[in-house]
Amino acid sequence: MAGTLILVPTPIGNLGDISPRAAEALAGADFIAAEDTRVSIKLLNHLGLKKPLVSYYEHNKVTSGAAIVERLKAGETCALVTDAGTPAISDPGEDLVRLCAEAGLTVTAIPGPCAAITALAISGLPTGRFTFEGFLSINKKSRREHLDSLRNETRTMIFYEAPHKLIATLGDFQKTFGPDRQITLCRELTKLHEEALRMTLSQAVEYYSSTEPRGEYVLILRGAERPAEEGPSLEEGLQQVQLLRQEGLSLKDAVKQASRSCGIPKNTLYEAALSQQA
Ligand code: SAM
């Protein structure tokens, strides 16, 4: 029988966040595929586990991915871990899951730490509808296209960012979304210096002109205001009044009915209808 790929989430800064189920999956796997084996060995040491490790990361994912799939087909169970958080969310796990799914292998995931969701939850911004945007490209053209595509986005947006790129990103945000848009900058989540800064884009640009960005960041950006629903114009209201009059209603009754159906205040419509008659 073929084996299973298990996505095992790891702490994003606090070792206490490894769950008993995640530890059990690591202990029970035949081997562990890790983004950086040096990082994962620290976690395994913390858990008192010794397991065979293979590396699976951006630059070896084609050959390593194919080898992992062969081992799974032969019946082994593989636990996939990345440096931090949920594998496959803005890290190389995504491709391995696709490979396994294409090969008809079972993929399962243990829920656990994810920087994006942790930041969204404490952002203070609307959480009902959101989009995950990951890292912005360093390529100027695709970065610009990505940001332009979000100009009218009304859902809350989640971005990952590295400290050395934060200032440029805040500048680009301000140019794209304007100075008054609200942002929550979440840094060092679950760590000693965890911080959630809630401000406008211009305040954030100003703040980081004199403060050096430190640590890892998740940026939660408020979506654009929804354009106010345009109600019917006064002209449309008057047309309705005219039609109702033609059906035999008095001016007073026609105004009352038209006002109810199109939401224009009775007095406004009545005065406009009177001045039209004059
Ligand atoms: N798969 C991971 C997850 O589930 O969150 C994300 C991997 S991605 C390569 C790494 C990025 O996640 C960092 O650059 C940062 O934007 C964010 N991140 C990870 N840990 C964080 C933390 N403790 N505080 C703030 N952001 C963090």
Side-chain angles (χ1 to χ4, degrees):
M1 211 176 92
T4 300
L5 176 72
I6 311 174
L7 309 189
V8 180
T10 56
I12 56 170
N14 186 325
L15 280 175
D17 290 335
I18 189 92
S19 74
R21 245 191 108 210
E24 210 175 285
L26 292 174
D30 292 307
F31 67 103
I32 296 172
E35 183 179 3
D36 184 337
T37 51
R38 291 162 306 182
V39 172
S40 301
I41 278 174
K42 284 187 199 149
L43 177 69
L44 294 177
N45 287 342
H46 170 75
L47 297 171
L49 294 174
K50 251 194 157 76
K51 301 294 293 185
L53 281 168
V54 299
S55 89
Y56 177 82
Y57 67 108
E58 194 55 38
H59 300 291
N60 77 351
K61 65 186 183 188
V62 175
T63 48
S64 177
I68 293 169
V69 166
E70 285 316 307
R71 289 181 72 170
L72 288 167
K73 280 184 180 165
E76 290 189 77
T77 296
C78 171
L80 173 68
V81 293
T82 50
D83 288 352
T86 299
I89 305 301
S90 278
D91 60 33
E94 178 184 355
D95 297 288
L96 186 58
V97 172
R98 186 176 35 76
L99 270 184
C100 290
E102 282 168 3
L105 292 162
T106 304
V107 180
T108 184
I110 293 173
C114 176
I117 297 300
T118 309
L120 175 70
I122 62 165
S123 68
L125 295 174
T127 60
R129 299 189 67 195
F130 60 87
T131 75
F132 177 64
E133 302 300 328
F135 290 100
L136 286 172
S137 171
I138 45 169
N139 172 284
K140 264 192 175 172
K141 187 165 172 272
S142 33
R143 185 180 173 90
R144 181 45 39 224
E145 281 170 1
H146 186 171
L147 287 170
D148 281 344
S149 75
L150 296 173
R151 273 181 199 280
N152 299 317
E153 178 56 69
T154 54
R155 292 168 291 184
T156 299
M157 290 160 268
I158 307 176
F159 297 86
Y160 281 161
E161 195 48 287
H164 62 283
K165 297 194 207 132
L166 180 75
I167 291 176
T169 294
L170 290 176
D172 286 348
F173 277 3
Q174 184 168 226
K175 273 185 228 144
T176 312
F177 305 106
D180 300 326
R181 184 72 70 88
Q182 278 178 296
I183 186 169
T184 302
L185 301 105
C186 300
R187 59 179 280 270
E188 298 291 84
L189 291 163
T190 75
K191 301 184 193 174
L192 188 63
H193 298 292
E194 172 173 316
E195 193 173 34
L197 296 168
R198 301 178 181 88
M199 39 180 71
T200 63
L201 284 176
S202 62
Q203 286 166 337
V205 167
E206 163 76 24
Y207 178 78
Y208 281 105
S209 66
S210 58
T211 308
E212 192 193 340
R214 278 177 202 271
E216 301 186 271
Y217 283 82
V218 182
L219 308 175
I220 310 287
L221 188 66
R222 185 187 269 277
E225 291 297 328
R226 268 174 202 288
E229 292 264 324
E230 277 187 24
S233 64
L234 187 58
E235 203 173 319
E236 285 164 323
L238 286 170
Q239 273 169 9
Q240 270 196 41
V241 171
Q242 212 172 0
L243 284 173
L244 291 165
R245 291 279 280 146
Q246 281 163 8
E247 286 172 19
L249 262 69
S250 69
L251 180 63
K252 205 173 146 205
D253 287 342
V255 164
K256 203 165 152 190
Q257 198 165 315
S259 157
R260 222 180 290 135
S261 77
C262 67
I264 300 171
K266 237 179 350 189
N267 287 348
T268 312
L269 207 50
Y270 192 71
E271 275 169 32
L274 276 184
S275 62
Q276 206 178 39
Q277 280 180 358

